[in-house]
Amino acid sequence: MSAPHLRDRYLQDSINTASPARLLIMLYDRLILDLLHGEEALRNDDRVLANEKLTHAQEIVLELRVTLDVNAWEGAPGLASLYGFVLTELIGANIKRDADRVAVCRSLLEPLRDAWRDAASAST
């Protein structure tokens, strides 16, 4: 088996065996990584890479939004609104090639990722 194939298999196995909390953290980690790379690509005028990373980030935000049960807890509607705002900002940032808008989105999402990570580690 080739090294890329083994890596892909390992990643798929990690996803398949992860708890819901771990999956959420994995999504947030990838989202933040996409935002970092997208912002950097915009600043370097690499439109193709920026579009790829920001489009993937938008897909993750959409996934987070559609899987959020807004009736599960009182903060869920606010989180849904935040996801809507971030999605709108990322689309606008991609269209206008505005790295600063991406940076704002990242600054909003990083504390959430950290909070989910802390909550998951506290429950284990």
Side-chain angles (χ1 to χ4, degrees):
M1 228 181 256
S2 68
H5 181 72
L6 287 171
R7 180 185 50 108
D8 290 345
R9 185 170 175 187
Y10 173 77
L11 289 173
Q12 190 60 48
D13 288 347
S14 296
I15 291 167
N16 291 340
T17 59
S19 69
R22 181 69 191 129
L23 283 173
L24 180 64
I25 294 164
M26 290 168 77
L27 277 173
Y28 267 95
D29 284 343
R30 180 55 195 260
L31 174 57
I32 299 302
L33 185 63
D34 284 342
L35 294 176
L36 281 167
H37 289 163
E39 179 185 345
E40 181 178 290
L42 285 173
R43 294 194 193 285
N44 292 326
D45 203 30
D46 185 343
R47 296 176 184 168
V48 173
L49 182 61
N51 181 61
E52 176 187 322
K53 296 302 179 181
L54 295 179
T55 300
H56 191 252
Q58 291 166 38
E59 291 170 0
I60 293 172
V61 173
L62 279 172
E63 181 66 21
L64 290 168
R65 174 59 188 95
V66 299
T67 58
L68 177 64
D69 180 356
V70 294
N71 299 314
W73 55 287
E74 67 183 44
L79 185 56
S81 293
L82 177 65
Y83 289 153
F85 172 78
V86 166
L87 184 60
T88 301
E89 286 299 294
L90 291 177
I91 292 168
N94 202 6
I95 292 169
K96 302 244 187 221
R97 299 181 188 105
D98 187 344
D100 292 337
R101 287 172 83 173
V102 178
V104 167
C105 291
R106 188 170 46 81
S107 73
L108 293 170
L109 294 169
E110 284 176 331
L112 281 174
R113 187 243 350 242
D114 296 343
W116 286 119
R117 183 178 286 138
D118 291 347
S121 64
S123 68
T124 57

